Amino acid sequence: MSNTQDLKRMLDKKDSILKGDAERIAKQRAQGKLVARERVAKLLDQGSFVETDALVSKNGDYAGVVTGYGTVQDRPVYLFAQDFTVHGGAMGVKQAGKILKVLDLAQKTGAPVIALMDSAGVRLDEGAEAMNAYAQVYAKMTKLSGVCPMIALVMGPCVGGAALISQLCDVSIMAENVGRLMVYGPQVMSAVSGKTYGEEAVGGAKALAEQGAVALTAKDEDAAIALAVQVLDLLPGCNAEDAPLVDTDDMNRVLPAVDAKDSASLLAAMADAAAFVELYKDYGKEVRVALARLGGRSVGLVVSDAAVNDGMLTADAAAKAARFIRLCDCYSLPVVSLINSKGVVVPDVKDQAKTMAGVAQLLYAYAEATCPKVSVVVGNAIGQSFVAMAGKGNADVAYAWPGAVVSALTPDAAVQVLYEDELKAGKGDPLAKRAELEAKYADEVADGVAAAQVGMIDDVCDPADTRKLVIAALEMLSSKRESNPPKKHGNLPL
């Protein structure tokens, strides 16, 4: 047999394995969903994809996942794209083997992993073997966490074990029109609760974003892929290298006049070219977190939103910020914190434990992080919001704006404790007297100058110079070398 005949025979056999079921593919497209290889083609630079284990199959079906590597904006990435047209993209032994190989290669070479997820869960026909396959993938992802960035794109139903893969990734992105993420489907939830639920209520983008289960949502698959590209651009390939340094803005640009309560304007004013990617926007809204560039350098921005509950730390807001800070620290991205918070929210009695745990996670994350940390008190820094986010104990460099209030208590509460006699002895309007004493306390005891005098703040700065000062601090800290004491790992207060 000639080489030409051998090649044709081989290509025919390969095509018979990979062509898929035309009816199932048509059904997938009818639901507004792309098929696995179409998603891969949209994500990667044209012509860069190299498929691995392409012909791995079982009983005539290939493993229900496309794996391989390629480039995104000329940077190498590994990926796996589950194929819902093959047994609902369910995880089995063969699929797990292909995914594990990609994860191994990412660890060896130091490149990000993108998971394009579309799976009904586990292959029931494989029983315990399939469950063990999931366990192997979870274990490998856990070991890879903090070594190489992992991004999950939820492009269809991700039920049970598939949902957990998205949670093990650093950033999860859901396509609103087709993505569903759930531990159990609507039928189970309805049967257990006695209430009727639809897919959107159980695992839709809006519900999951509000619960903090997905970092980003997009209107469709194309937009989700575009977000993944933006996130990749702001992250390094692995923990052994730095994120790309890009000249995108004037390093000496001054800030326009910005209201300290306007967190959106603060984010835009600080970021190069006013461009940032905000994560977990609909969850824990008292704090906003975003990836951006300052002076061309990738950073994580943690910004109090004083327009929401006075920026007070809730369990959700604190846990959200803690997760984000740990992401930044994994890949040595500096953390820049802009604080305007009246401390910790007074929780319901039944929520006290959750609130304490959340704030402890935030304290832990800031304290454990060895990446450069720069803080600016733009308004209030009361109690634990100062301790965790702004104080010199947890920041390499700390600034404050004029009018900033740094105190263990809010001025009104502090006056009640410190000036009780004066309040009782006061003549005239008691409200006017209280206001006078609050102003006195804020000006003489709790302002930024007072904090700077005792070394808790490096300087009180002109708000217009904030960006320049932060960029200068980041340049100075670019060679920072710090490590935690040798240990297996700390015990994060989960």
Side-chain angles (χ1 to χ4, degrees):
M1 190 176 289
S2 68
N3 289 336
T4 302
Q5 290 173 317
D6 285 341
L7 177 61
K8 183 178 184 306
R9 181 171 174 271
M10 182 274 292
L11 291 175
D12 288 342
K13 288 180 68 176
K14 182 176 178 179
D15 183 62
S16 69
I17 295 172
L18 300 182
K19 68 179 180 180
D21 185 293
E23 185 177 340
R24 291 176 183 172
I25 291 172
K27 185 177 179 180
Q28 174 96 339
R29 290 178 175 147
Q31 294 173 342
K33 296 166 62 179
L34 301 173
V35 295
R37 285 186 172 79
E38 290 172 337
R39 291 166 175 162
V40 171
K42 282 183 175 289
L43 172 66
L44 297 180
D45 297 337
Q46 186 174 1
S48 70
F49 181 53
V50 178
E51 189 168 352
T52 57
D53 293 324
L55 302 181
V56 170
S57 58
K58 180 178 181 180
N59 299 329
D61 286 328
Y62 89 100
V65 67
V66 177
T67 59
Y69 54 90
T71 60
V72 174
Q73 295 182 333
D74 296 324
R75 295 176 63 200
V77 300
Y78 289 89
L79 61 82
F80 61 91
Q82 292 175 312
D83 188 342
F84 196 79
T85 69
V86 179
H87 295 290
M91 178 79 75
V93 174
K94 296 293 185 182
Q95 180 176 138
K98 293 181 67 171
I99 293 172
L100 288 169
K101 181 174 181 177
V102 162
L103 297 175
D104 278 332
L105 288 170
Q107 182 174 339
K108 291 174 183 177
T109 59
V113 176
I114 313 296
L116 299 154
M117 302 188 62
D118 191 358
S119 172
V122 66
R123 284 197 64 156
L124 298 177
D125 60 323
E126 295 186 15
E129 284 186 300
M131 291 189 290
N132 186 61
Y134 258 129
Q136 290 178 307
V137 172
Y138 298 152
K140 187 61 186 179
M141 291 182 70
T142 301
K143 290 180 172 61
L144 193 59
S145 179
V147 178
C148 299
M150 294 183 285
I151 299 174
L153 286 88
V154 180
M155 304 294 217
C158 292
V159 183
L164 300 182
I165 288 178
S166 75
Q167 302 305 291
L168 290 174
C169 288
D170 295 299
V171 178
S172 53
I173 305 170
M174 182 184 285
E176 295 174 6
N177 62 327
V178 293
R180 297 291 183 270
L181 192 63
M182 58 193 90
V183 178
Y184 296 108
Q187 288 181 326
V188 174
M189 297 298 288
S190 297
V192 171
S193 67
K195 300 177 182 179
T196 301
Y197 290 105
E199 282 194 357
E200 184 64 30
V202 175
K206 184 177 186 298
L208 272 296
E210 290 174 351
Q211 296 171 49
V214 291
L216 293 161
T217 61
K219 64 179 182 179
D220 55 29
E221 294 190 39
D222 287 349
I225 288 170
L227 278 175
V229 173
Q230 289 182 54
V231 172
L232 279 172
D233 183 51
L234 292 163
L235 295 174
C238 66
N239 62 352
E241 63 182 53
D242 294 326
L245 188 64
V246 180
D247 184 12
T248 53
D249 202 344
D250 180 6
M251 294 176 65
N252 294 311
R253 173 169 62 80
V254 299
L255 256 64
V258 178
D259 184 346
K261 289 186 176 182
D262 188 350
S263 57
S265 294
L266 279 171
L267 280 165
M270 289 293 291
D272 287 1
F276 57 90
V277 179
E278 184 176 359
L279 308 183
Y280 305 104
K281 185 176 182 179
D282 297 318
Y283 172 66
K285 295 183 180 181
E286 292 81 1
V287 175
R288 302 178 71 168
V289 299
L291 295 170
R293 283 196 170 91
L294 261 68
R297 191 184 307 278
S298 291
V299 303
L301 292 171
V302 181
V303 182
S304 301
D305 192 344
V308 180
N309 206 18
D310 289 322
M312 297 177 79
L313 295 174
T314 62
D316 288 347
K320 159 184 163 176
R323 177 171 172 82
F324 179 73
I325 291 159
R326 287 168 69 85
L327 166 64
C328 294
D329 191 47
C330 282
Y331 303 109
S332 299
L333 301 186
V335 174
V336 177
S337 306
L338 306 179
I339 299 94
N340 189 1
S341 169
K342 287 191 175 181
V344 179
V345 71
V346 180
D348 291 334
V349 172
K350 62 182 176 61
D351 292 330
Q352 282 198 96
K354 182 180 178 183
T355 301
M356 285 188 289
V359 176
Q361 289 164 19
L362 181 62
L363 291 164
Y364 191 107
Y366 267 107
E368 184 188 45
T370 59
C371 61
K373 293 174 284 188
V374 180
S375 296
V376 184
V377 182
V378 300
N380 293 301
I382 308 299
Q384 294 303 324
S385 63
F386 174 79
V387 174
M389 304 168 71
K392 289 293 292 296
N394 273 340
D396 299 300
V397 179
Y399 294 105
W401 282 8
V405 177
V406 179
S407 173
L409 298 171
T410 58
D412 58 337
V415 164
Q416 189 68 41
V417 174
L418 298 176
Y419 303 126
E420 183 180 5
D421 292 341
E422 292 182 55
L423 284 171
K424 289 179 179 178
K427 297 180 180 180
D429 185 355
L431 293 178
K433 183 62 175 179
R434 177 179 286 277
E436 177 189 335
L437 291 172
E438 287 179 12
K440 176 184 177 182
Y441 175 81
D443 184 57
E444 297 180 2
V445 179
D447 76 335
V449 173
Q453 286 178 318
V454 295
M456 292 192 297
I457 294 292
D458 286 294
D459 200 0
V460 179
C461 67
D462 182 342
D465 293 333
T466 304
R467 181 179 143 87
K468 292 193 296 181
L469 287 169
V470 170
I471 290 174
L474 295 178
E475 288 293 315
M476 178 270 293
L477 291 165
S478 63
S479 59
K480 177 184 176 183
R481 295 293 181 269
E482 182 183 4
S483 59
N484 290 312
K487 55 186 174 180
K488 189 173 183 180
H489 58 72
N491 188 12
L492 176 68
L494 295 172

